[in-house]
Amino acid sequence: MKTSLIHRCKVSLASLALGACVLLPAVTSQAGESAKLSPIVEPPPSSSWVHALLKLDFSDHYITPRGLNVENQGLVFQPLFLVFWNLYSNPDGFLNDVTLTTGVWSSFHSRESGPDEGNWNEFDPIAGLGFKFAKYWSFDVNYTAFESMVSAYPTSQHLELKLGFNDAAFTGSQVFSINPYVAFWKELKNKSTVAFNPATSSESYYFTIGMTPTIDLKKVKFEFPTFINIVDNDFYQQFDGTGGGSGVAVIRTGVQATVPLSFVPKSMGFWSLYAGVKYYHLDNPGLLDGNQVLGADGARKRDLVQFHGGISIFF
């Protein structure tokens, strides 16, 4: 019975990236996570219409932007690779930029888990279209799929719509910005959360209100990615198969410091090191029930802390 529950319980991010920490206009983690995926060192103007980002992230947890505590033991390695295809650019028009983003995200764990036990836990394809308009605004349409490499759950598919405001461009500040955004996240096929009773579970949705206050001192950048998720009643499910409850389910904040590796030749891309901590407060009965199944110690923890760090390379 426990195995059948685990089969339906995991979801990725980084989003968007890695949740709110994942950093590109077209994709938010991680799944999410999620935030913009721009490097700390802005590249000079270039005629190239294609760029790429590689992030190698190491963590003590795998916690999704939806609050699922997937792994809390050992080392978690989550690489992200994105390619950005600039389809349109007109700084003087109403529509300023259109970018296609394609990529993949994975999660590797030092501790084996899943029905087909293994270390490669998850694989997520990513695709999105990002639009910048009216100088200060962005609108992103993103698709993600979460595939379990250890046969823990059926592959789920999702759509995210995100509207953001570039207050740094609006104010002209090069040091401080808030970067507010709102997003809508919808399950398209199969659940991205723990389904205790498939007969009473259904695809659902949630809204995100977030911001990424940023202090850019050039030699180091501090970011404070913060968001709340407001869920529909059926997004999570309780042990008895009823809805998990609607309203605010996840509150997340944290801090990340990023330092550019200026000694790396620009011909090799723009490299930076980052490290940070994320704090989650969980306030949904269905989410807590799901984490009780997922957690190795079976605890219903409302407050979670995650430490992470890694390297980012922008080409």
Side-chain angles (χ1 to χ4, degrees):
M1 181 63 180
K2 184 177 180 180
T3 299
S4 65
L5 296 178
I6 294 176
H7 272 251
R8 300 177 177 89
C9 49
K10 202 167 72 65
V11 62
S12 143
L13 163 27
S15 18
L16 292 213
L18 293 78
C21 277
V22 175
L23 310 167
L24 242 160
V27 177
T28 69
S29 212
Q30 314 20 2
E33 234 129 353
S34 278
K36 292 187 177 180
L37 288 173
S38 54
I40 185 171
V41 180
E42 295 295 337
S46 170
S47 58
S48 176
W49 61 282
V50 59
H51 293 281
L53 175 74
L54 175 64
K55 290 192 70 178
L56 306 176
D57 190 88
F58 298 86
S59 177
D60 66 337
H61 279 66
Y62 172 18
I63 305 174
T64 76
R66 288 148 287 282
L68 288 173
N69 191 10
V70 177
E71 181 58 80
N72 61 359
Q73 298 183 48
L75 179 67
V76 176
F77 171 52
Q78 297 177 329
L80 170 73
F81 181 69
L82 298 173
V83 180
F84 312 109
W85 313 83
N86 184 252
L87 306 181
Y88 172 84
S89 181
N90 181 6
D92 299 322
F94 176 77
L95 180 61
N96 308 125
D97 182 90
V98 179
T99 300
L100 169 68
T101 300
T102 55
V104 292
W105 178 91
S106 280
S107 192
F108 298 88
H109 305 171
S110 63
R111 185 178 77 100
E112 292 188 349
S113 62
D116 297 335
E117 286 195 354
N119 301 105
W120 186 7
N121 187 272
E122 186 174 334
F123 174 80
D124 300 350
I126 299 166
L129 271 177
F131 305 88
K132 294 181 180 178
F133 63 97
K135 295 184 180 180
Y136 314 118
W137 295 89
S138 63
F139 180 71
D140 303 317
V141 181
N142 304 310
Y143 165 87
T144 55
F146 302 154
E147 180 178 355
S148 173
M149 307 306 290
V150 293
S151 302
Y153 53 86
T155 299
S156 60
Q157 301 180 45
H158 334 92
L159 175 71
E160 181 187 50
L161 307 178
K162 178 181 176 183
L163 178 67
F165 180 72
N166 186 347
D167 58 296
F170 180 76
T171 63
S173 173
Q174 298 182 359
V175 177
F176 178 75
S177 57
I178 297 176
N179 307 298
Y181 65 91
V182 294
F184 171 76
W185 203 90
K186 176 73 170 67
E187 295 169 324
L188 299 177
K189 182 179 181 181
N190 294 325
K191 292 297 294 179
S192 59
T193 59
V194 180
F196 292 102
N197 185 349
T200 59
S201 69
S202 60
E203 287 82 5
S204 188
Y205 62 89
Y206 67 87
F207 294 92
T208 298
I209 302 174
M211 60 181 176
T212 307
T214 300
I215 301 173
D216 190 350
L217 304 178
K218 302 307 178 183
K219 291 186 178 182
V220 60
K221 176 191 285 186
F222 295 98
E223 296 170 289
F224 305 85
T226 301
F227 65 80
I228 62 172
N229 287 345
I230 304 170
V231 302
D232 174 58
N233 180 69
D234 296 323
F235 189 74
Y236 301 104
Q237 191 177 59
Q238 299 186 67
F239 285 131
D240 62 4
T242 60
S246 60
V248 175
V250 180
I251 301 174
R252 204 202 80 175
T253 189
V255 59
Q256 176 175 298
T258 306
V259 177
L261 302 181
S262 55
F263 59 85
V264 177
K266 289 182 172 56
S267 59
M268 297 178 60
F270 296 84
W271 294 53
S272 58
L273 290 176
Y274 64 90
V277 58
K278 305 174 186 178
Y279 165 75
Y280 297 77
H281 177 72
L282 313 180
D283 190 20
N284 181 279
L287 173 55
L288 295 176
D289 286 355
N291 276 348
Q292 184 168 334
V293 174
L294 287 172
D297 56 7
R300 296 170 60 84
K301 296 181 178 178
R302 288 181 174 270
D303 300 289
L304 302 173
V305 177
Q306 175 187 10
F307 297 92
H308 74 113
I311 188 168
S312 175
I313 310 169
F314 183 77
F315 302 94

